[in-house]
Amino acid sequence: MTDDQHGATDSVLTRRRFFTALGGTSLAATVYEYGIGSDRSLQSATETQDSRHPASQYHIDVMTAIAEAVYPSAVSVESSFIESRVFGRVEPKPNHFENLLTSIEAVDGHSRARFGGAIPDISPGRRRKVLQSMGVTAVHPNADGTTAEQVRFYVVNDLLYALFTSPAGGELMGVDNPPGYPGGRDAYQRGPDGGER
Amino acid sequence: MTGADDRSPTDADVCIVGAGPAGAVTAYDLARRGHDIVVLEAGERLTPEDHHRRMEMWLRPDLERNSFWLDGARDAYTSTGAIDARLNETRVKAVGGTSVHWDANTPRLHEEDFEMNTRYGVAKDWPISYDDLQPYYVRAEREIGVSGADDNPHGPPRKEPYPMEAFRPSYSDSLFAEACAELEITMASQPKAINSESYDDRSGCVGYGVCNACPSGAKYSAEVHVRKAEAEGARIVDQVQALSVEHDQTGDYVESVVYATPDGREYRQEADQFVIACGGIETPRLLLLSDSIAFPDGLANSSGAVGRYLMDHPNVTTTATLDEPTRQSNIGWVSSRSDQFYARESPGPGSYHLTFSNTAKVTYGGAQDRRAPTSPSQILDIVGNPTPDALAELATDPLNETPLGDNLDLPTTDGPPYPISIRGAGEMLPRSDNRVMLDGSRTDSHGRPVPSVDLSDGEHEQETMEHCLGVQESVLTELGAEITGVSTLDGRGMSTHHMGTTRMGTDPSDSVVNSECRTHDLENLWIASSSVFTTGGANNPTLTIIALALKAAEHIDDQL
């Protein structure tokens, strides 16, 4: 067992204690304030993030690394974005975060066992191979399904939800203020040249 | 003081069943007049965090949008007509009712909607006129907070300004405006119960763009008036199912509502006055379930009209693409409409209104719900239904791998082409065979027959919406757009508006409530709901529901 793996195990224990302490209830709502950047950089722009989320730095780092494999390379991912938009959001259903963390650990465990290193330590292309090797890219998302189906539901689709509801994701789709992002009421009035018609 | 988990009865002047817009506003208006109010609500209370959860449910194709309220055994129903009732896709049983996920469009009905028989020889007149209701429309707009502008040349007359300024038109509205101007079709702002500025301690719209699950509170929901009613001393009891409404020996007065709590207990809530505010489906169902020796066909149903004359708003949409950007999906709501075709000619097509798209671009899906042919669920589907296409896909691309990274399957592309659409919603005439009944062959989780909905379009609806499609095609053609899709009434689902099933009238032999929304048959039983609409017009019903609730509350106050 490597030192890294010790670290991962400790993180898991810490996280499970956290859930126990909360009695299984969902987390308090966090503040949804983010910069509305025009570039394709994903980062938290404020310091208002509630730090009481269930993920350890280990989970944030692995999830950020998976995001770099799932998102187009034009999108640069900061761990602050993952921390705030994935782990800092209101938990959509009971035990969602618990299952997300388990799925993150499954991906990292597969990477270590079959690809010779932790997810953050291999290239984005290799990370995609990890997901492919697990079957994640060839299954339907299912919250109660196989490990691959759960990784697809919790890890991939959580990342896609965060992307599609962010300005960077909106830019990929040609929408300045994508649904799910509180980007104000200017964008819908603007014409394609940036001004009102 | 009764605790939140104590669902036993308490002393009350008025018992209201249903905590949607009608029930909540009635409760507030009577509570502020000093009366003791108890509201019984089948659904649960939502928290502010729940609305963030609902937003994710709404935007993720792998989550069920209605799972936050739906209880499949409790909410079962039967649909027998040509129109799929799809009740559990459109309604919400929760504190706040269906306003929890409404679009918040708040046009008034038009003057002619109240006088369809006098003017056109169809349907029946309401026993009240637009002028009678106009003061209550003003109050309703203030209560819920409506953003709008008096800029609609074909709209009903107004004497008071809207409480808030209208939202500015969208960029794509300006594209439509040029085409409509060429065709001499006037556009107007869409009045909405969404704050264009801070109002009533709620913020202005911040542009989440997911109005059906607005997490900011800028959109009105009846949770607002539930809170206000409670501040005035009303008691809202959630998660209790009203089972029946019980009357006295003579059949003149209601004495109690029998309801069940989550722990299976049954209680009897007594009061001086009773208001049923359960919408166009559950209101007639509760009356039909409350039959007795005095009312063998259902409570307050000596007319036989309870459940009959069900109406919705048939609607059609034409979708198209343009070579130039249309700037869709940067906001969630409709900003412009046209009432040019609301004024009908007789004979001929009926009234409808048009709305112009701001949300023609779908931004959820793509890789989120891409389904591989070899996934276990897909294989089961293919084995169960081995169509040639499915088998061919399985054989030629067995993995159908979801590309990630630079080849990520996005829900939509930047364009060109760029999507755009026009929607029209029109009137349905009341017909007695469009109705809500009890399905004696199926029961809900309380052992009660489920509602059975039998709704079909007639020639009038077909003619009206065909005319509407013709206008949509004209506008899009004038715009230079390429039409990509036309929806018709064939195989359609019922709209979110359920009206007419306890209709208002002067004649007790063919209507259920009088002009005050009190039942003809029982002295202290009132109905606050779209079910009292004599006709449905072609406009969204909620503002009218609230105006009628405010009017009914005044009459109830007179009795107390």
Side-chain angles (χ1 to χ4, degrees):
Chain A
M1 187 176 279
T2 66
D3 288 342
D4 280 352
Q5 284 170 313
H6 277 297
T9 304
D10 288 343
S11 300
V12 172
L13 291 174
T14 303
R15 179 253 301 182
R16 296 198 192 285
R17 279 199 297 272
F18 180 83
F19 265 97
T20 303
L22 279 180
T25 59
S26 59
L27 300 175
T30 52
V31 178
Y32 281 70
E33 293 177 8
Y34 305 97
I36 307 170
S38 60
D39 62 359
R40 287 177 176 167
S41 172
L42 296 176
Q43 58 184 344
S44 174
T46 72
E47 300 298 321
T48 56
Q49 175 57 39
D50 189 332
S51 62
R52 292 179 303 141
H53 60 65
S56 67
Q57 193 60 46
Y58 159 76
H59 294 102
I60 294 168
D61 291 344
V62 174
M63 191 67 162
T64 304
I66 298 172
E68 289 169 351
V70 170
Y71 294 169
S73 56
V75 177
S76 66
V77 191
E78 302 287 338
S79 62
S80 59
F81 174 82
I82 298 300
E83 186 171 4
S84 59
R85 294 302 297 271
V86 176
F87 298 112
R89 77 194 202 274
V90 175
E91 189 174 30
K93 289 199 167 188
N95 301 320
H96 185 98
F97 286 147
E98 179 89 16
N99 293 324
L100 169 60
L101 299 185
T102 300
S103 296
I104 291 171
E105 291 158 15
V107 176
D108 193 48
H110 191 81
S111 179
R112 291 167 191 263
R114 301 281 185 85
F115 287 79
I119 280 285
D121 297 335
I122 61 177
S123 70
R126 293 276 287 170
R127 295 169 201 160
R128 281 190 286 275
K129 291 286 188 190
V130 172
L131 295 173
Q132 193 175 24
S133 165
M134 293 178 77
V136 173
T137 55
V139 296
H140 191 59
N142 183 348
D144 303 313
T146 63
T147 298
E149 289 173 329
Q150 290 197 36
V151 170
R152 182 68 179 271
F153 180 88
Y154 290 105
V155 176
V156 175
N157 276 7
D158 271 22
L159 288 171
L160 293 176
Y161 176 69
L163 178 66
F164 295 162
T165 56
S166 72
E171 190 174 348
L172 295 171
M173 300 184 285
V175 178
D176 291 347
N177 180 39
Y181 184 79
R185 307 204 304 259
D186 293 330
Y188 86 94
Q189 300 175 48
R190 280 201 300 271
D193 55 359
E196 289 181 38
R197 191 177 163 98
Chain B
M1 202 65 184
T2 306
D5 293 331
D6 182 356
R7 295 182 167 82
S8 58
T10 49
D11 288 342
D13 299 323
V14 183
C15 170
I16 298 170
V17 184
V25 168
T26 306
Y28 165 67
D29 201 52
L30 288 169
R32 75 178 181 84
R33 295 168 191 262
H35 305 301
D36 291 331
I37 310 297
V38 168
V39 181
L40 305 175
E41 167 55 47
E44 297 181 32
R45 286 174 190 269
L46 301 177
T47 66
E49 291 76 22
D50 286 335
H51 294 297
H52 280 276
R53 295 187 178 95
R54 290 204 309 112
M55 180 172 73
E56 185 163 344
M57 289 177 180
W58 195 268
L59 290 175
R60 275 179 70 154
D62 53 357
L63 296 175
E64 295 289 335
R65 289 178 172 180
N66 58 1
S67 62
F68 73 95
W69 70 269
L70 181 63
D71 175 338
R74 181 195 62 184
D75 303 320
Y77 65 92
T78 301
S79 178
T80 62
I83 298 170
D84 177 9
R86 64 181 195 124
L87 292 181
N88 292 336
E89 295 174 39
T90 56
R91 64 181 175 182
V92 172
K93 290 184 180 178
V95 172
T98 302
S99 72
V100 165
H101 81 173
W102 71 321
D103 282 327
N105 294 310
T106 53
R108 300 177 179 184
L109 289 179
H110 288 217
E111 292 166 292
E112 60 260 39
D113 294 326
F114 297 85
E115 304 165 359
M116 293 290 284
N117 190 269
T118 298
R119 292 195 186 203
Y120 310 118
V122 299
K124 285 186 73 70
D125 290 354
W126 293 50
I128 57 174
S129 69
Y130 177 84
D131 283 345
D132 293 329
L133 202 55
Q134 184 158 205
Y136 301 99
Y137 272 136
V138 173
R139 284 183 55 199
E141 287 167 350
R142 289 178 183 161
E143 282 292 342
I144 67 176
V146 173
S147 303
D150 190 3
D151 60 359
N152 191 341
H154 299 286
R158 299 184 57 84
K159 294 177 179 172
E160 303 281 342
Y162 286 97
M164 286 171 280
E165 287 187 0
F167 290 104
R168 293 180 57 79
S170 66
Y171 171 75
S172 63
D173 287 341
S174 70
L175 301 176
F176 282 115
E178 289 183 7
C180 286
E182 286 294 319
L183 298 170
E184 298 184 344
I185 297 172
T186 57
M187 294 169 66
S189 58
Q190 171 79 316
K192 310 189 72 66
I194 298 177
N195 292 353
S196 61
E197 58 196 85
S198 294
Y199 185 86
D200 200 21
D201 293 331
R202 293 181 286 121
S203 80
C205 172
V206 294
Y208 269 106
V210 195
C211 302
N212 303 95
C214 174
S216 77
K219 183 188 79 169
Y220 172 82
S221 95
E223 294 161 287
V224 169
H225 278 95
V226 165
R227 288 193 295 269
K228 289 186 173 188
E230 288 181 315
E232 296 288 348
R235 178 168 175 247
I236 316 296
V237 188
D238 75 341
Q239 302 178 62
V240 293
Q241 181 65 56
L243 300 176
S244 64
V245 183
E246 307 286 327
H247 61 74
D248 63 356
Q249 284 191 332
T250 63
D252 292 328
Y253 290 89
V254 170
E255 289 187 330
S256 62
V257 172
V258 177
Y259 64 93
T261 55
D263 59 7
R265 295 185 185 189
E266 287 189 14
Y267 293 102
R268 196 174 287 274
Q269 174 66 54
E270 299 179 348
D272 296 330
Q273 304 289 328
F274 293 84
V275 182
I276 310 300
C278 306
I281 305 297
E282 296 291 346
T283 293
R285 181 189 180 208
L286 181 58
L287 296 177
L288 294 172
L289 287 168
S290 304
D291 59 335
S292 65
I293 293 172
F295 295 99
D297 297 323
L299 190 66
N301 194 23
S302 63
S303 65
V306 170
R308 293 188 182 272
Y309 307 106
L310 173 65
M311 298 169 284
D312 80 335
H313 286 131
N315 54 84
V316 292
T317 300
T318 302
T319 54
T321 57
L322 272 179
D323 291 334
E324 62 175 303
T326 54
R327 302 285 298 158
Q328 294 290 295
S329 301
N330 281 297
I331 202 70
W333 27 257
V334 164
S335 41
S336 291
R337 61 184 282 125
S338 175
D339 286 26
Q340 180 101 12
F341 304 97
Y342 206 106
R344 71 201 301 278
E345 296 174 4
S346 186
S351 299
Y352 60 89
H353 76 265
L354 299 171
T355 50
F356 303 92
S357 70
N358 284 336
T359 55
K361 192 173 252 194
V362 175
T363 61
Y364 53 89
Q368 283 181 313
D369 65 348
R370 186 180 172 112
R371 182 180 282 222
T374 48
S375 69
S377 58
Q378 278 293 83
I379 288 175
L380 284 175
D381 287 348
I382 291 170
V383 169
N385 183 24
T387 64
D389 284 351
L391 291 172
E393 187 179 1
L394 184 62
T396 56
D397 186 11
L399 288 179
N400 189 26
E401 293 245 0
T402 301
L404 303 175
D406 285 341
N407 294 318
L408 183 67
D409 189 6
L410 296 167
T412 185
T413 61
D414 189 4
Y418 302 93
I420 201 163
S421 66
I422 309 178
R423 183 175 185 272
E427 69 185 11
M428 172 180 270
L429 295 180
R431 286 187 291 276
S432 67
D433 54 349
N434 279 336
R435 61 189 295 200
V436 178
M437 296 173 285
L438 300 179
D439 181 349
S441 68
R442 299 176 66 196
T443 53
D444 66 9
S445 52
H446 294 281
R448 310 178 306 161
V450 305
S452 175
V453 179
D454 186 350
L455 183 68
S456 300
D457 289 312
E459 289 181 9
H460 180 77
E461 292 75 47
Q462 293 285 355
E463 180 184 19
T464 300
M465 299 324 289
E466 281 172 15
H467 190 274
C468 180
L469 284 172
V471 170
Q472 292 176 356
E473 180 181 0
S474 299
V475 174
L476 290 165
T477 301
E478 180 65 34
L479 197 53
E482 180 179 347
I483 291 175
T484 55
V486 177
S487 74
T488 68
L489 297 186
D490 292 340
R492 78 176 177 95
M494 185 158 65
S495 79
T496 53
H497 309 151
H498 312 146
M499 305 169 288
T501 48
T502 62
R503 69 177 182 177
M504 183 189 290
T506 52
D507 185 351
S509 71
D510 68 5
S511 61
V512 180
V513 302
N514 63 18
S515 62
E516 298 180 345
C517 295
R518 184 173 61 80
T519 59
H520 293 299
D521 291 345
L522 293 121
E523 297 288 334
N524 63 342
L525 180 61
W526 309 74
I527 296 176
S529 164
S530 51
S531 64
V532 306
F533 287 17
T534 312
T535 56
N539 268 348
N540 315 58
T542 301
L543 189 77
T544 304
I545 293 170
I546 293 169
L548 287 168
L550 290 167
K551 182 174 182 296
E554 278 189 3
H555 300 306
I556 295 168
D557 180 53
D558 290 341
Q559 301 292 319
L560 291 169

